Amino acid sequence: MDSRHHVSVQEKVMDLEAELERMSRENEKLNVMLGLMNQDCNSLRSRLMETEVADGDNNKESMIPRKRKGAIQVTESSSSEDSNKKMRESPKSKVSQFCLRTDPSDTSLILRDGCQWRKYGQKVTRDNPSPRAYYRCSMAPGCPVKKKVQRRADDSSILVAAYEGVHTHPLPTSLDAPDGLESLDIIRPEPLASAPSTPFLPCSSISLSNSFPTITLDLTQTSLNQEGPRPEREARVSSNYSISQQLLVQILASSLTRDPSFTTALADTISRNFFRK
DNA sequence: CGTTTTTGACCGGCGC
DNA sequence: GCGCCGGTCAAAAACG
């Protein structure tokens, strides 16, 4: 071992430390980005629903959910629909439902979605062998948000989380290391009548890599009855931030307007927080 | 010791 | 009124 070799090792260590710090900073910035995305999440989801209604049969072919581990289904229902007797709750209460494919061996009803929740009850329901857990948001004293988590009766590997209410406090934006995280995918909301197992091709994906400080926004749009060369839109942001975050957000927003499945990618990103163990 | 989880009791809506 | 059911309460236990 000569001293030169020693020095080079030391340099390597310093390099790694520098990179680590760089990654930490980038992680912080990603947190900010996720915060922005979270803020828009609700409007994006409602927009997604609109788009799906508008696209109708066109999308059925390409938006068919694929069955994979970590798949998420996002649906949303507000109580402003028909004048049913059931609509007794406050008209403001909105229920968002997430279906998350989990490890079947995992029997817990815990979803790490970034918020702090206090469990206040658990019930076995009639139509489902697995119990339903009731949580209240404990991040702020008066936060009215509640969530119910239960495994699906027909597929116990799918966790269904129903969120109710609106947070009265800023949501956490932590995107900290999803160690050992499985890849999560969104199942597009689909009519219950059709349950085909045709593979679902993700039109967009955002991968926030922990091992390498690179954000990849793959906004490639799958052709929906589209002939010819389809426009590929891919924004690759390296660690030196060649484009600003604001521009990035604008890219996301503008791509949303053109790509109805962008919400898929957004929820994908958010869902990565669901499964931290 | 403060916070969270567990779990049986309780409550209100609904159908009969 | 009664029973069923989903949702919530609250005391005790567990946890960090």
Side-chain angles (χ1 to χ4, degrees), chain A residues 78-89 91:
Chain A
S78 75
S79 47
S80 61
E81 316 231 311
D82 43 324
S83 55
N84 235 346
K85 280 183 186 172
K86 265 199 161 183
M87 305 299 181
R88 288 178 169 269
E89 304 153 20

Side-chain angles (χ1 to χ4, degrees), chain A residues 64-268:
Chain A
I64 293 165
R66 61 180 163 180
K67 281 206 156 191
R68 257 194 24 203
K69 194 175 186 180
I72 266 189
Q73 180 169 0
V74 186
T75 57
E76 184 174 296
S77 63
S78 75
S79 47
S80 61
E81 316 231 311
D82 43 324
S83 55
N84 235 346
K85 280 183 186 172
K86 265 199 161 183
M87 305 299 181
R88 288 178 169 269
E89 304 153 20
S90 103
K92 280 181 186 174
S93 78
K94 250 190 174 179
V95 179
S96 300
Q97 195 164 297
F98 293 81
C99 297
L100 183 73
R101 189 172 289 277
T102 67
D103 190 337
S105 62
D106 180 17
T107 56
S108 73
L109 291 170
I110 299 171
L111 278 180
R112 302 297 299 264
D113 49 14
C115 281
Q116 277 183 293
W117 300 95
R118 191 173 61 81
K119 190 176 182 178
Y120 66 90
Q122 179 163 319
K123 269 281 179 189
V124 176
T125 53
R126 218 169 73 90
D127 50 347
N128 196 331
S130 64
R132 176 183 299 167
Y134 299 89
Y135 296 91
R136 235 192 290 269
C137 180
S138 62
M139 288 198 70
C143 184
V145 177
K146 287 181 264 187
K147 77 169 176 181
K148 291 178 277 190
V149 181
Q150 188 175 29
R151 299 191 171 275
R152 264 172 65 160
D154 55 341
D155 187 347
S156 64
S157 68
I158 295 179
L159 215 51
V160 181
Y163 292 81
E164 189 180 333
V166 181
H167 291 281
T168 58
H169 53 86
L171 290 168
T173 59
S174 90
L175 224 203
D176 36 11
D179 32 286
L181 184 76
E182 304 103 323
S183 70
L184 301 175
D185 297 292
I186 298 154
I187 301 176
R188 305 283 294 195
E190 55 166 337
L192 287 175
S194 64
S197 57
T198 320
F200 159 58
L201 298 172
C203 298
S204 306
S205 71
I206 302 174
S207 60
L208 300 174
S209 167
N210 254 25
S211 56
F212 192 73
T214 298
I215 310 166
T216 302
L217 302 175
D218 184 356
L219 304 176
T220 306
Q221 189 173 31
T222 51
S223 54
L224 309 173
N225 298 338
Q226 217 173 357
E227 304 281 335
R230 65 171 187 229
E232 265 197 16
R233 282 176 276 128
E234 181 175 271
R236 202 170 278 267
V237 186
S238 65
S239 59
N240 55 11
Y241 281 90
S242 54
I243 56 176
S244 70
Q245 291 172 45
Q246 284 192 351
L247 179 57
L248 190 56
V249 171
Q250 281 184 2
I251 290 174
L252 300 183
S254 68
S255 64
L256 170 70
T257 63
R258 275 174 271 174
D259 182 357
S261 66
F262 175 75
T263 316
T264 299
L266 178 62
D268 192 359

Side-chain angles (χ1 to χ4, degrees), chain A residues 19-36:
Chain A
E19 189 173 342
L20 187 63
E21 196 187 327
R22 208 169 56 234
M23 287 167 66
S24 300
R25 274 203 300 269
E26 170 140 351
N27 199 32
E28 271 178 38
K29 291 177 181 178
L30 293 180
N31 288 343
V32 172
M33 283 179 59
L34 185 66
L36 289 171

